Amino acid sequence: MKILALMTLGCLTVMTACDKEEVREDPLIARGRVLFNSTEFDSAFGGTVSCASCHPGGDMDNKKWLLPQLAPDSLSTPTLFGLAQTAPYLWFGESNDLREVTRFVIEDILLGMVDSLQLDALVAYQLSLVVPANPWKNSDGSLTPAQERGRAVFEQQGKCIVCHSGPAFTNGQNIQVRPGALPANVPSLRWVFATAPY
């Protein structure tokens, strides 16, 4: 305990203050963060790429990549924010299992090896990534008048809410956007302000 001495109107006042308790991160999440930023899983690009290379801070690099393991066309890097609410995962909704998706990315894209404990840590870290606050809303979190008008169009006239529903604005389904294209996973719109390109 620390003792603080303060002078108040010529009198000595003694006050006590407790030391602040150190906030500690869950060790599994902390380990996952280290692994996420490590290049130890990369055998495809000469040991130069980590998960964070494409997902800095768990977000996205705003680039498109050709991943023949997944699709013939290039794919935009998705954000990892809010993964706990946005299954199924990957561009085409291949899996509801984040653990298996993480294994796939490491073993089939980075051509690395990952053990069970490392997977536990990587999944824990990814699930800890929270959605940033929307800077376009009012300071109290409410919608502006223009946003309220937009919501009315979104829900009524545009019928966008049919696919982009629920707290994460996704129905978690795959849809065929155009004839002949692969069915794509309905993306979340909850943090669309920060996830270009679209």
Side-chain angles (χ1 to χ4, degrees):
M1 186 177 289
K2 293 179 179 177
I3 305 297
L4 303 176
L6 301 175
M7 294 298 294
T8 306
L9 300 174
C11 300
L12 180 65
T13 303
V14 178
M15 300 181 67
T16 61
C18 296
D19 289 329
K20 288 185 178 178
E21 188 174 322
E22 184 180 345
V23 177
R24 295 179 184 223
E25 183 177 46
D26 181 304
L28 194 62
I29 293 173
R31 175 70 177 139
R33 177 180 285 106
V34 170
L35 292 171
F36 193 84
N37 288 281
S38 169
T39 59
E40 71 178 272
F41 301 119
D42 172 27
S43 293
F45 305 98
T48 61
V49 173
S50 70
C51 302
S53 297
C54 295
H55 301 281
D59 197 4
M60 52 194 277
D61 61 4
N62 299 100
K63 295 180 181 176
K64 293 180 80 173
W65 297 92
L66 183 59
L67 302 171
Q69 307 93 323
L70 291 169
D73 296 323
S74 57
L75 299 167
S76 178
T77 304
T79 184
L80 301 183
F81 292 148
L83 280 182
Q85 298 176 301
T86 57
Y89 305 113
L90 294 177
W91 296 266
F92 307 108
E94 287 91 333
S95 176
N96 286 307
D97 187 339
L98 184 57
R99 185 183 177 85
E100 285 311 306
V101 167
T102 303
R103 181 192 300 278
F104 167 78
V105 170
I106 290 172
E107 294 183 354
D108 291 70
I109 295 177
L110 294 179
L111 305 180
M113 296 296 296
V114 59
D115 65 37
S116 182
L117 294 177
Q118 290 172 322
L119 276 174
D120 289 343
L122 284 164
V123 167
Y125 171 66
Q126 290 176 87
L127 291 176
S128 77
L129 297 167
V130 297
V131 179
N134 187 333
W136 300 105
K137 287 186 175 180
N138 290 320
S139 59
D140 64 359
S142 64
L143 298 179
T144 66
Q147 290 167 341
E148 288 287 3
R149 293 191 300 274
R151 177 163 66 179
V153 173
F154 185 89
E155 294 178 353
Q156 298 164 19
Q157 180 184 347
K159 306 291 186 202
C160 308
I161 200 166
V162 171
C163 294
H164 299 282
S165 57
F169 292 91
T170 175
N171 61 8
Q173 304 294 314
N174 291 348
I175 61 168
Q176 191 160 13
V177 180
R178 61 180 184 271
L182 292 171
N185 182 239
V186 174
S188 170
L189 299 183
R190 186 173 172 198
W191 39 97
V192 72
F193 63 85
T195 57
Y198 307 113

